[in-house]
Amino acid sequence: MKKLMIYMCFLIGLMLSISINAGAQTTQKKGISKQGKGAIIGGAGGAVAGALITHSAGGALVGGALGAGGGYIIGNEARRREEKRQRAARIAWRRAHPHHHYTTTKTTVTKTTTYH
């Protein structure tokens, strides 16, 4: 059973590394989110660690669940940090180029009435 768990964890890790590398090479597809990547990597790592520590399938399941949760949280923080950097870059560009960004103007319509 122990060898089976080790081989399964190795196989899952191999499949994950192949899928992540394949997703990194394509530029047209949106791909998996940072949260998803974090959850997958954390889950696989947690499952391997849980199986090695407890030498049971239950430990692998608990480790995988905890690792996936932690990986999701870390991936979410990475996404938020990247969005914050992009937002700061847009604001800096707008401040440096005040006449180049789009502005909205209000137009007023005057109502004309004619009397007969």
Side-chain angles (χ1 to χ4, degrees):
M1 184 70 172
K2 181 179 174 183
K3 284 185 180 182
L4 177 65
M5 288 298 296
I6 291 173
Y7 289 132
M8 289 300 291
C9 292
F10 178 73
L11 181 64
I12 289 171
L14 182 65
M15 289 186 335
L16 287 174
S17 65
I18 290 171
S19 68
I20 290 172
N21 286 337
Q25 293 173 357
T26 61
T27 56
Q28 289 180 337
K29 292 184 179 180
K30 179 93 174 164
I32 208 165
S33 66
K34 288 190 180 283
Q35 297 97 324
K37 286 180 187 176
I40 291 170
I41 294 169
V48 170
L52 292 176
I53 291 171
T54 63
H55 304 292
S56 68
L61 290 174
V62 171
L66 291 175
Y72 179 85
I73 291 170
I74 292 171
N76 189 36
E77 291 299 317
R79 178 193 57 84
R80 290 178 61 197
R81 185 174 49 246
E82 184 175 333
E83 286 177 356
K84 187 176 179 181
R85 283 184 192 147
Q86 289 174 352
R87 191 171 33 252
R90 281 193 308 268
I91 290 170
W93 187 87
R94 286 180 184 152
R95 285 183 181 159
H97 303 91
H99 299 293
H100 293 290
H101 62 74
Y102 297 103
T103 59
T104 58
T105 58
K106 291 185 178 181
T107 58
T108 58
V109 177
T110 57
K111 185 176 179 182
T112 58
T113 56
T114 57
Y115 297 103
H116 293 273

